[in-house]
Amino acid sequence: MNRPGDRVVAGVSGSLGSLTALHRAASEARATGATLWAVLAWEPPGGDIVHRGGPCPAPMAAWRRMAVERLTEALDTAFGSAGPGVPLERLVVLGKPGTVLLAVADQPEDLLVVGAGTRSRLRRALSPSVARYCLARACCPVLAVPPSPLHRTFHAVHRRNTWKLPLKTQGLAERR
């Protein structure tokens, strides 16, 4: 039987890393009998500063709908029509991802699950890590899930395709 604080909160962005974290969060919820909260934080294009003078309601509603669609698509990609196999709450919130996740996972009994991928120096400089932000400020346990080995392989193939380099298929075929 779930108590009100028995929640596993997963940050969802739709990236491969967040889908890996979402699977891990579902596994943790299954093991503890908790409810899985899939949370997607969104911001208007251009950030908050563009809309401080009074955002027009129509574009804000359209951007929120797009965020809801992105969360639905991420959940469908991760679990298909069968779902995660645990009680699921979907939450789409306007705000910065780290701030939103900490506002949702606000009880000491919660478990916050976020993806923690490897990032280049340039990416770290341009956008701070949500995982680091949450690890430094959370009032509940935080599980930072590294990317899967398949994720790294996918990015290596993608880089080779981007630079139009030949693909090495040596290890891809099954040996008999």
Side-chain angles (χ1 to χ4, degrees):
M1 177 86 28
N2 286 5
R3 295 186 313 264
D6 290 343
R7 299 183 302 171
V8 176
V9 179
V12 180
S13 67
S15 68
L16 288 176
S18 81
L19 295 178
T20 302
L22 189 56
H23 271 277
R24 181 60 186 266
S27 177
E28 293 291 330
R30 210 172 293 113
T32 60
T35 301
L36 174 61
W37 284 59
V39 179
L40 186 137
W42 67 279
E43 294 180 283
D48 254 353
I49 216 145
V50 174
H51 305 283
R52 283 199 182 150
C56 186
M60 291 296 275
W63 293 326
R64 187 180 193 307
R65 269 193 312 278
M66 287 190 294
V68 168
E69 289 170 9
R70 192 169 43 156
L71 177 61
T72 301
E73 186 178 307
L75 290 168
D76 287 346
T77 300
F79 304 117
S81 60
V86 295
L88 174 67
E89 293 287 333
R90 302 165 186 239
L91 191 58
V92 175
V93 181
L94 173 63
K96 296 199 177 297
T99 308
V100 167
L101 290 173
L102 294 182
V104 173
D106 60 351
Q107 301 297 313
E109 303 84 27
D110 293 337
L111 172 64
L112 176 58
V113 182
V114 292
T118 55
R119 296 161 28 114
S120 67
R121 286 183 186 177
L122 178 62
R123 261 196 87 194
R124 281 193 304 257
L126 293 177
S127 65
S129 166
V130 174
R132 283 179 184 241
Y133 181 89
C134 292
L135 284 165
R137 294 169 178 81
C139 70
C140 65
V142 178
L143 178 59
V145 179
S148 72
L150 184 60
H151 183 89
R152 283 190 276 282
T153 303
F154 172 76
H155 277 294
V157 169
H158 180 71
R159 270 193 311 276
R160 294 190 76 77
N161 285 341
T162 300
W163 292 101
K164 297 183 181 356
L165 298 172
L167 181 62
K168 296 177 185 174
T169 58
Q170 200 170 5
L172 296 177
E174 207 177 308
R175 295 182 189 206
R176 294 179 189 222

